[in-house]
Amino acid sequence: MADGPGFSMLPDDLPPGRLITGYYTDARWGDRPLLWVTDEPIYDLGKLWERSFDTREETGLYPLLLATMDGDPDRPWHAAELAYVPVEAVDAIDVASYLSRWTEHRPWNGLAAPGAQQREPDKAAAAMVEEVTEFRPWLVGLVPASRGADALALSGWTGPTNHSPTAPISAVVRSWEERFGARVVWVGFDELALSVAAPPLSIEHAQQVAAEHYAFCPDNINQSHHNFEGYAASLVEAKEWRFWWD
């Protein structure tokens, strides 16, 4: 099995796949493989994901379910439409400051308080994977990252580019990992889905979280059938958070 920086522990029993080097990566970072991706979408990949997830500390590779652009299955992963972002860029982001700049006319009272944990975060992620892989195939990606939030940046994903660079997006997801037991489960061309182990349990808390979601991804509200209040209500006890950027 071929390897590169960060891929020395790539398992030998993986399905056919390839290392991907980001086409849009800044030259100062060099030509480096950003992630390993299966050649084809796979059905019934729950065991592959679970094995990869359970051994991520040993291998240094974080597993992601990967969706592609409708009508163009090479994009963005096989087409390498990716731009590496170092973790130092994520470290530099002040999450509260970043989110407060994007709330526009929405009330902003600072970051929402952590949720009361309802489930173990890794088990919540596994349950979501089981659900979303039941009836459809996915590409599987392995990223040299210690956590899902960092995998977004290190894989070179540019899904929110019309709204924000990836570094602040990764920083916010880090904060949600810590406050709400969130885990990155799947990533698409311009989509992101997280499992949530400690969701808001009251409408008041959900409204604070919804303000963060609005700053993070305005299209979730501006281009949906929900107004802000309806969107906030949908977050109460929600086990999944999904985002889409136009």
Side-chain angles (χ1 to χ4, degrees):
M1 180 73 69
D3 62 18
F7 292 94
S8 60
M9 295 295 291
L10 201 61
D12 291 326
D13 58 349
L14 293 171
R18 67 191 85 167
L19 294 174
I20 306 292
T21 299
Y23 185 79
Y24 297 113
T25 296
D26 191 307
R28 63 184 152 159
W29 306 121
D31 291 331
R32 65 176 70 202
L34 302 185
L35 73 165
W36 176 92
V37 183
T38 54
D39 287 338
E40 301 290 342
I42 301 173
Y43 282 99
D44 300 323
L45 52 73
K47 289 184 179 179
L48 170 60
W49 180 90
E50 183 177 0
R51 183 171 70 251
S52 301
F53 193 73
D54 289 346
T55 60
R56 66 193 186 278
E57 291 187 6
E58 174 187 340
T59 65
L61 299 169
Y62 191 96
L64 298 173
L65 303 181
L66 303 176
T68 59
M69 183 178 182
D70 289 343
D72 195 342
D74 282 343
R75 301 178 67 189
W77 313 108
H78 290 161
E81 294 182 23
L82 308 169
Y84 171 82
V85 175
V87 291
E88 291 80 9
V90 183
D91 295 340
I93 302 299
D94 182 294
V95 170
S97 176
Y98 169 77
L99 291 176
S100 68
R101 289 182 298 167
W102 289 99
T103 53
E104 297 179 355
H105 302 297
R106 300 294 175 187
W108 178 252
N109 298 309
L111 297 178
Q117 187 166 309
Q118 304 298 299
R119 299 183 293 170
E120 203 280 323
D122 290 355
K123 290 182 179 179
M128 183 174 171
V129 168
E130 182 177 358
E131 177 183 338
V132 301
T133 60
E134 185 175 3
F135 298 113
R136 63 167 285 186
W138 297 80
L139 295 172
V140 178
L142 297 175
V143 185
S146 61
R147 58 197 295 178
D150 291 359
L152 299 176
L154 293 172
S155 69
W157 178 62
T158 60
T161 191
N162 289 340
H163 170 65
S164 170
T166 304
I169 296 296
S170 290
V172 174
V173 175
R174 276 185 182 179
S175 182
W176 289 344
E177 287 175 340
E178 294 159 2
R179 286 183 290 140
F180 302 106
R183 296 291 183 267
V184 178
V185 171
W186 65 262
V187 185
F189 182 79
D190 53 7
E191 298 173 279
L192 172 66
L194 314 176
S195 62
V196 183
L201 303 179
S202 69
I203 188 61
E204 293 79 13
H205 193 194
Q207 287 175 342
Q208 290 182 301
V209 175
E212 294 188 27
H213 283 206
Y214 182 80
F216 182 79
C217 180
D219 292 330
N220 260 30
I221 297 173
N222 292 345
Q223 300 198 40
S224 79
H225 63 277
H226 285 301
N227 58 21
F228 180 84
E229 289 71 22
Y231 181 80
S234 75
L235 297 180
V236 176
E237 298 188 46
K239 298 177 181 179
E240 302 175 10
W241 293 348
R242 299 191 181 193
F243 304 95
W244 167 77
W245 292 266
D246 191 358

